[in-house]
């Protein structure tokens, strides 16, 4: 591997109790913790019953970036179960390296915004890091 190539390693900070649950699940399946996490992250996540507009959000992201869409994740106060009356719904939209992350990209999303229970579903566009480039946007 060249010095410019990405190592494929990353650090994920999680609650110690979740770490313990994952470590036990890995041991029960005869896997390392890394192998278990890689498998779980690589498989389709299915539907999100607590996020009923998941399909609509995915369709909107596909409409905005098409085949450049790598993945979507809901995050923030709604996922933590801590929304307030003023909370929006934060969605990380990961796109490939050829998509410029500009105001125009956000304006395209806003042409047909997605709403959940009257709240805006707000995209946060980002790219995966490649080589020596740091992660974009977030």
């Amino acid at each position: 591997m060249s010095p410019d190539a990405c190592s494929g390693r990353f650090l994920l900070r999680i609650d110690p109790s979740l770490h313990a649950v994952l470590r036990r699940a890995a041991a029960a399946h005869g896997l390392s913790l890394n192998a278990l996490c890689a498998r779980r992250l690589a498989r389709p996540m299915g539907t999100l019953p607590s996020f009923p507009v998941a399909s609509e959000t995915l369709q909107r992201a596909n409409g905005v970036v098409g085949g450049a869409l790598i993945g979507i994740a809901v995050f923030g106060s709604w996922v933590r179960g801590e929304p307030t009356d003023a909370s929006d719904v934060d969605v990380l939209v990961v796109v490939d390296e050829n998509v410029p992350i500009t105001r125009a990209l956000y304006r395209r999303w806003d042409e047909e915004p997605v709403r959940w229970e009257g709240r805006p579903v707000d995209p946060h566009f980002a790219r995966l890091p490649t080589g020596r480039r740091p992660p974009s946007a977030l």
Side-chain angles (χ1 to χ4, degrees):
M1 181 184 306
S2 76
D4 293 332
C6 181
S7 72
R9 296 179 184 184
F10 68 95
L11 176 65
L12 176 65
R13 297 194 185 278
I14 59 174
D15 184 90
S17 61
L18 176 57
H19 185 270
V21 168
L22 291 170
R23 194 176 58 243
R24 285 191 300 273
H29 289 90
L31 298 169
S32 70
L33 179 57
N34 283 345
L36 176 78
C37 290
R39 283 185 182 183
R40 288 192 176 181
L41 289 169
R43 72 179 184 206
M45 300 303 278
T47 61
L48 298 171
S50 63
F51 187 58
V53 296
S55 178
E56 183 181 350
T57 302
L58 178 59
Q59 289 174 5
R60 183 69 193 123
N62 273 316
V64 172
V65 298
L69 180 64
I70 293 175
I72 295 178
V74 181
F75 70 100
S77 62
W78 281 99
V79 173
R80 291 189 311 270
E82 303 168 348
T84 67
D85 290 341
S87 294
D88 60 0
V89 180
D90 295 303
V91 178
L92 179 67
V93 180
V94 182
V95 298
D96 75 24
E97 61 197 30
N98 298 317
V99 175
I101 298 176
T102 63
R103 290 186 189 271
L105 185 61
Y106 286 88
R107 281 193 294 268
R108 283 184 34 214
W109 178 280
D110 290 340
E111 289 170 1
E112 297 178 40
V114 178
R115 298 189 71 76
W116 180 32
E117 296 180 0
R119 298 170 188 276
V121 175
D122 285 334
H124 299 268
F125 293 96
R127 287 188 293 271
L128 295 174
T130 57
R132 291 186 176 187
R133 288 178 48 198
S136 67
L138 296 176

